[in-house]
């Protein structure tokens, strides 16, 4: 089976022009088929505030009312997605900006209201419903899809979906056709034992150690859903999951020793 990298770029790197430029240069030179996934939660929050819409995050997810949906559609699907594509084109990487609505790649449904009403937040239907045929045809043409953190409900509504979830869903769906590595790249060296100490990288993380570190509070906030997505992806056929520094993407994508390798 051919190898394919699904690489998610973290919000703090997107927000740092120098780091982003270096990441895109490195990403463009990663050989073989690849997919880029981005969020941009931080930038959406800033624009939201400028427009007088106060961001509201619950359990790491954005409560997405109709006005917020307009903002995230503009920021993720427009501003960020199109600029990333333009910057990749400038580096000789032929890419195509997509949301989950385009080519019906990622069908989703509005998250049902239980204790919390998340508004227009989308839960992906299932990896089996991802339009893998379309993605495989892009890979054949050496076109790199760049996904924004947006899906759709098939009834005319865009939905806001966490970018880590988009990345794991695409990785699982593509695992039937490719040997997939899922890379969560961000601004730190990997999953750290002490979040303030970049030298404390955990090189290898398995579920029991994860449970222990979670209990101790060493792993928290955005890293929790990221790791839950990572383990779920491995359970559903993704070959490798690595969490590491965006500045080390070439080493990680090349199978070298950097970041945190997640295994079952
Ligand atoms: N043990 C840990 N090691 C590294 N980062 C951690 C750890 N625990 C929590 N984090 C936090 O997780 C964040 C990354 O997740 P998230 O906020 O969802 O950002 P993104 O997915 O955009 O990179 C880091 O910026 C860091 O603050
Ligand atoms: C539903 C939900 O919370 N969606 C996220 C999508 C963006 C995202 O995931 O951005 P980062 O990867 O930069 O965190 C949000 O709007 O913040």
């Amino acid at each position: 089976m051919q190898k394919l990298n699904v690489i998610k770029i973290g919000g703090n790197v997107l927000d740092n022009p120098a780091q982003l430029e270096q990441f895109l240069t490195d990403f463009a030179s990663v050989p073989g088929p690849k997919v880029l996934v981005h969020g941009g939660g931080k930038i959406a929050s800033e624009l939201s505030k400028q427009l007088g819409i106060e961001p509201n995050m619950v359990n790491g997810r954005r409560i997405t009312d109709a006005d917020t949906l307009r903002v995230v559609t503009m920021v993720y699907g427009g501003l960020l997605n199109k600029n990333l594509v333009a910057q990749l084109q400038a580096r000789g990487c032929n890419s195509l900006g997509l949301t989950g609505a385009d080519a019906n790649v990622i069908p989703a449904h509005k998250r049902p209201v239980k204790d919390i009403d998340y508004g227009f937040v989308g839960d992906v239907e299932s990896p089996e419903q991802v339009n893998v045929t379309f993605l495989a045809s892009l890979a054949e043409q050496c076109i790199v899809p760049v996904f924004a953190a947006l899906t759709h409900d098939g009834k005319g509504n865009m939905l806001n979906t966490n970018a880590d979830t988009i990345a794991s869903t695409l990785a699982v769906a593509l695992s039937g056709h490719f040997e997939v590595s899922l890379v969560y790249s961000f601004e730190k060296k990997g999953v750290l034992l002490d979040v303030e100490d970049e030298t404390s990288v955990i090189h290898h993380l398995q579920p029991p150690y994860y449970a222990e570190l979670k209990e101790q509070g060493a792993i928290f906030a955005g890293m929790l859903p990221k790791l839950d997505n990572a383990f779920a992806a491995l359970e559903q056929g993704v070959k490798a999951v690595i969490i590491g520094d965006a500045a080390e993407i070439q080493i990680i994508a090349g199978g070298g020793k950097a970041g945190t390798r997640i295994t079952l």
Side-chain angles (χ1 to χ4, degrees), residues 146-218:
V146 177
F147 276 94
L150 295 164
T151 56
H152 77 130
D153 68 358
K155 300 176 201 158
N157 301 301
M158 293 301 288
L159 296 168
N160 179 11
T161 298
N162 175 268
D164 290 348
T165 308
I166 300 241
S168 64
T169 300
L170 292 172
V172 170
L174 286 160
S175 289
H177 286 60
F178 297 91
E179 190 184 305
V180 178
S181 292
L182 169 61
V183 183
Y184 286 117
S185 68
F186 70 140
E187 78 285 2
K188 297 190 187 299
K189 292 265 175 231
V191 184
L192 306 172
L193 201 50
D194 170 1
V195 79
E196 301 299 332
D197 177 4
E198 289 283 342
T199 66
S200 70
V201 177
I202 300 161
H203 295 291
H204 186 195
L205 187 59
Q206 285 178 303
Y209 192 30
Y210 171 45
E212 209 179 293
L213 292 173
K214 191 156 66 165
E215 177 80 21
Q216 290 169 12

Side-chain angles (χ1 to χ4, degrees), residues 217-235:
I219 297 178
F220 54 91
M223 190 49 73
L224 296 172
K226 202 183 295 299
L227 283 165
D228 293 336
N229 272 306
F231 289 117
L234 289 168
E235 277 161 10

Side-chain angles (χ1 to χ4, degrees), residues 83-97 143-144:
N83 277 302
L84 286 171
V85 169
Q87 292 201 48
L88 286 173
Q89 297 296 0
R91 288 161 171 82
C93 175
N94 195 4
S95 50
L96 174 70
I143 295 174
V144 176

